[in-house]
């Protein structure tokens, strides 16, 4: 069975380490915050200028001046800091964020990522995504392995305009966990009950398959 | 300190001198920390052909979105403009130009503009449509693109507390782009929630020193929430 | 928040990993806001061939000046080094190298280093010895020179209040170069006067967010005054 | 009589306007603060990170964490702000300071200034001077017109290494007030009792002398 949204978030959460500063993109990446392992602490960075993002506010805490990068009302944890957008992207661009998780339309064997623009459709903008992928050493992309029509999103070469070039090393899809190195995809884990054959069939870019591909455990 | 008293009495006075075709840099992220009354004054004035530099363009009916209603904006420089049906309509009709700029690059372009740095290199956007036509240069084996700074004829800023000298403090995440915008206007206009006496703000806790500010006006704010997300109290 | 507790118990631990030949960025202006005990620890360790990036080099017998006594400094990157007879002596003897850098360029080089900006253009130093050998480029008809950013193996910083997460507040003009230095070290070590609980510092009033900081140590400080100028009380 | 240090400061002070942000260099420029005209307010910027510098502290106010760019203990006025060196030079480089006053060894008809380095002598460093002259539109240089040996400091071309190129328009010396434009010095005022002949004799760069050269009044 391909992974659910929650399972994707759970698998990504295993990339967390105690003391990590983490930036989570909108959508599935946001769910990762729900699966921080017991006894581990991470601090969430929101690129509009908040380090130490907390849960949504109660009705009593609601404050228009306290939002996250998704423009949702949020709270701050104890020990949070709040700063300007220039300072926020100094952190991001300067490589101070330990882990960045974001969605994508496509990735390729060169570590390229396309996530912000589909020509012919309305272009809404890249927001902070280009800065995030350019600034982070440690990025996890999470997305479905193939489109609804079965077209692979793990390509020899991205077909859509890029968000960043040569910056992606880790991809968690609903079928597999794949790493990118030396111009190839490297199959590391498969979703429970998903066959290697299915993953191979749905991976358009060159995929290196080891003899044993462990199943993810949840 | 008469020469440093920057408080003006009306929004008309606050935006005096704004003319058709000018560039306006606006603080705010989404609807958070936007100079909502200064924007309303631009609508009232009917100034046209404006280039607006702002991370977003408000929503239909609020924030910068209201300047679309009478087609006052010629060009937007933004990182994300997806919250606005009127924007989409004018963009598709070719009535509006948009220069999409990565959020961090946009923040740094404003800061650089205010700081006398005409251009800087960044890895952001290299190998993407943002990098097209821009100079590429390697430092320590990595390619970077050259980005030029931005200055505005006006900067419009929203702060929380301010004094007559223009010293400002922002509240929570309503800070966002406001401090950089404040440095980058030939004329910087700030609307504040609360006027305090000079000396009330702790000098080392001032976010924007008054030297960047030309006019201050005290306003009252709707502070509309874009995504109201709450949890139950227990 | 175990993973975020950055407080260390000894100066030896604070400077662990510092090796001969490394680059150290130091906060402070003159003797104001200098990490005096971290500097003393470098002297105690006897680390040699250091490149020190700091606006000044202390005075004879205090601050960075004490690292000259055992010839631990190979090179200084500074804007002004005129307060120090030992410095002069070693410079004239060819035992010490100095790269004089305009003060504002030095501050911006540190900030850029921390912010992932490898280089920027500035008018400062154009047409002077500082501009020699550097690329010149015109923007809007004015010539600028290209300056590259600085990062250090270590950054040593002095703050006033700090919490276990490394969130920092500086006191008065002891801020100076410290916030930029804090962003530009591969390992950033901060000594503070006062440890406070996480949450005690108002989030929007933190000068240096903890993300930049690796180690925190609580110290006591002499705070020597370089130019004691006073007036009579009436 | 050539101007005293105090008279130099008084003449420079006439360049002040109400509401000006001003950076005063070390030495005679610092004295300008003593001659701010009655009813006029200026705010002093000190490049180590203080806007709104006040007088020296009393013994009771003395604080090692409160100094100016000359490393002297100072106070702050009400409404002052304190910030980092990067912010301070953003102000300076970005042209936000209304008037900068500094000393020099030499200036020339091209607006070049040399003020920080005498080859063969020990080089102490430029501090913030290069940033100040590059960032300001409105700079007043104050110095003696000639050296003790009678050598002019207003030259066709600076002989010493420059602090900044083409940035000086106003020079107040102990003999005269001179402006720089179109590759020439323009004599505007003379010190009381100083003859135009003496000024001409002590100005090595091309000097335009109008028919009437008013005397400075104190």
């Amino acid at each position: 069975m391909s992974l659910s949204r929650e399972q994707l978030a759970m698998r990504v959460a295993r990339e967390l380490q105690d003391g990590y500063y983490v930036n989570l993109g909108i959508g599935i990446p946001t769910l990762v915050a729900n699966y921080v392992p017991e006894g581990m602490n991470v601090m969430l960075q929101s690129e509009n200028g908040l380090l130490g993002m907390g849960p949504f506010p109660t009705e009593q805490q609601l404050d228009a001046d306290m939002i996250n990068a998704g423009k949702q009302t949020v709270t701050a944890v104890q020990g949070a800091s709040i700063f300007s957008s220039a300072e926020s992207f100094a952190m991001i661009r300067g490589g101070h964020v330990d882990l960045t998780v974001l969605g994508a339309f496509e990735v390729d064997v060169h570590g390229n990522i396309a996530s912000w623009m589909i020509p012919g459709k309305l272009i809404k903008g890249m927001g902070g995504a280009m800065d995030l992928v350019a600034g982070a050493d440690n990025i996890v992309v999470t997305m479905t392995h193939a489109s609804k029509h079965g077209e692979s999103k793990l390509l020899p070469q991205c077909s859509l305009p890029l968000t960043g070039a040569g910056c992606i090393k880790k991809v968690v899809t609903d079928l597999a966990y794949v790493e990118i190195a030396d111009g190839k995809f490297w199959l590391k884990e498969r979703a429970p009950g998903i066959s290697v054959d299915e993953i191979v069939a749905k991976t358009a870019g060159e995929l290196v398959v080891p003899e044993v591909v462990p199943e993810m455990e949840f | 300190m008469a020469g440093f008293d920057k408080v003006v009495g009306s929004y008309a006075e606050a935006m005096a001198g704004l003319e058709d075709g000018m560039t306006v840099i606006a603080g705010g992220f989404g609807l958070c920390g936007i100079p909502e009354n200064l924007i309303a004054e631009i609508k009232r004035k009917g100034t046209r052909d404006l280039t607006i530099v702002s991370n977003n363009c408000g929503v239909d009916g609020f924030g910068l979105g209201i300047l679309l209603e009478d087609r006052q904006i010629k060009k937007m420089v933004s990182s994300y403009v997806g919250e606005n049906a009127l924007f989409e309509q004018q963009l598709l009709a070719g009535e509006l130009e948009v220069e999409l700029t990565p959020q961090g690059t946009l923040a740094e372009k404003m800061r650089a503009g205010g700081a006398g740095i005409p251009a800087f290199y960044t890895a952001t956007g290299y190998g993407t449509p943002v990098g097209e036509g821009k100079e590429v240069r390697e430092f320590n084996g990595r390619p970077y693109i050259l980005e030029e700074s931005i200055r505005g004829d006006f900067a419009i800023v929203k702060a929380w507390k301010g004094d007559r000298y223009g010293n400002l403090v922002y509240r929570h995440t309503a800070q966002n782009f406001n401090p950089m915008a404040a440095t980058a206007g030939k004329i910087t206009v700030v609307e504040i929630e609360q006027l305090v006496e000079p000396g009330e703000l702790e000098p080392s806790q001032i976010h924007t020193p008054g030297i960047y500010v030309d006019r201050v006006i005290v306003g009252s704010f709707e502070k509309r929430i874009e995504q109201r997300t709450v949890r139950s109290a227990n």
Side-chain angles (χ1 to χ4, degrees), chain B residues 131-147:
Chain B
E132 276 167 29
K134 288 176 185 157
E135 184 193 302
V136 174
R137 187 160 182 149
E138 279 199 10
F139 295 93
N140 300 313
R142 185 169 184 202
Y144 294 83
I145 61 173
L146 183 66
E147 292 280 6

Side-chain angles (χ1 to χ4, degrees), chain A residues 7-78:
Chain A
Q7 285 174 311
L8 277 168
M10 287 165 72
R11 176 59 192 84
V12 172
R14 282 207 228 130
E15 302 297 313
L16 298 172
Q17 290 185 25
D18 196 26
Y20 259 21
Y21 296 97
V22 180
N23 185 294
L24 301 176
I26 293 168
I28 293 169
T30 300
L31 300 178
V32 173
N34 301 333
Y35 300 103
V36 179
E38 194 73 28
M40 183 185 288
N41 291 296
V42 300
M43 214 173 262
L44 302 178
Q45 204 261 13
S46 192
E47 64 264 29
N48 58 316
L50 170 59
L51 182 68
M53 180 166 61
F56 293 146
T58 61
E59 286 284 351
Q60 286 68 38
Q61 294 171 320
L62 192 74
D63 188 328
D65 289 336
M66 196 65 210
I67 68 167
N68 67 15
K71 287 143 194 165
Q72 300 168 311
T73 45
V74 290
T75 56
V77 301
Q78 281 222 330

Side-chain angles (χ1 to χ4, degrees), chain B residues 1-231:
Chain B
M1 302 280 270
F4 291 100
D5 187 354
K6 299 170 184 179
V7 174
V8 297
S10 71
Y11 278 93
E13 208 181 328
M15 293 308 294
L18 181 71
E19 290 171 18
D20 291 355
M22 279 188 168
T23 295
V24 178
I25 301 184
F29 180 91
L31 300 182
C32 181
I34 59 171
E36 50 179 87
N37 301 296
L38 294 171
I39 294 167
E41 172 62 18
I42 297 176
K43 181 172 171 69
R44 195 198 61 73
K45 274 174 88 83
T47 319
R48 301 180 70 85
D49 293 322
L50 295 170
T51 295
I52 307 273
V53 182
S54 165
N55 191 58
N56 312 95
C57 193
V59 296
D60 290 329
F62 198 70
L64 290 167
I66 65 172
L67 301 185
L68 296 166
E69 293 163 7
D70 301 318
R71 293 183 169 66
Q72 293 177 262
I73 304 176
K74 186 182 69 179
K75 180 177 172 181
M76 283 297 303
V77 180
S78 303
S79 88
Y80 192 80
V81 289
E83 325 282 15
N84 207 313
L86 198 51
F87 191 96
E88 182 172 341
Q89 192 183 308
Q90 291 184 20
L91 189 64
L92 293 174
E95 297 168 337
L96 182 63
E97 206 182 321
V98 62
E99 183 176 324
L100 291 172
T101 304
Q103 196 173 137
T105 297
L106 185 62
E108 193 66 14
K109 276 170 171 264
M110 290 184 195
R111 181 192 176 272
I117 290 171
F120 57 90
Y121 287 94
T122 176
T124 301
Y126 167 75
T128 79
V130 165
E132 276 167 29
K134 288 176 185 157
E135 184 193 302
V136 174
R137 187 160 182 149
E138 279 199 10
F139 295 93
N140 300 313
R142 185 169 184 202
Y144 294 83
I145 61 173
L146 183 66
E147 292 280 6
E148 294 194 19
S149 66
I150 296 181
R151 291 210 63 186
D153 297 297
F154 272 75
I156 55 174
V157 165
K158 158 69 172 43
W160 178 30
K161 294 181 183 175
D163 65 25
R164 292 183 176 279
Y165 301 174
N167 292 310
L168 306 176
V169 169
Y170 305 97
R171 187 165 174 275
H172 300 335
T173 61
Q175 182 171 167
N176 56 60
F177 282 84
N178 280 300
M180 287 75 68
T183 68
K186 282 178 205 156
I187 296 174
T188 290
V189 187
V190 183
E191 54 176 342
I192 59 176
E193 295 183 46
Q194 230 178 291
L195 184 69
V196 302
E197 288 305 309
E200 274 190 55
L201 303 174
E202 166 66 27
S204 63
Q205 297 291 11
I206 287 168
H207 291 125
T208 293
I211 194 170
Y212 295 115
V213 173
D214 297 287
R215 301 172 193 167
V216 173
I217 186 163
V218 185
S220 62
F221 298 84
E222 176 184 337
K223 290 200 194 183
R224 197 179 289 186
I225 291 176
E226 200 163 342
Q227 302 278 346
R228 194 177 184 285
T229 46
V230 292
R231 66 189 160 96

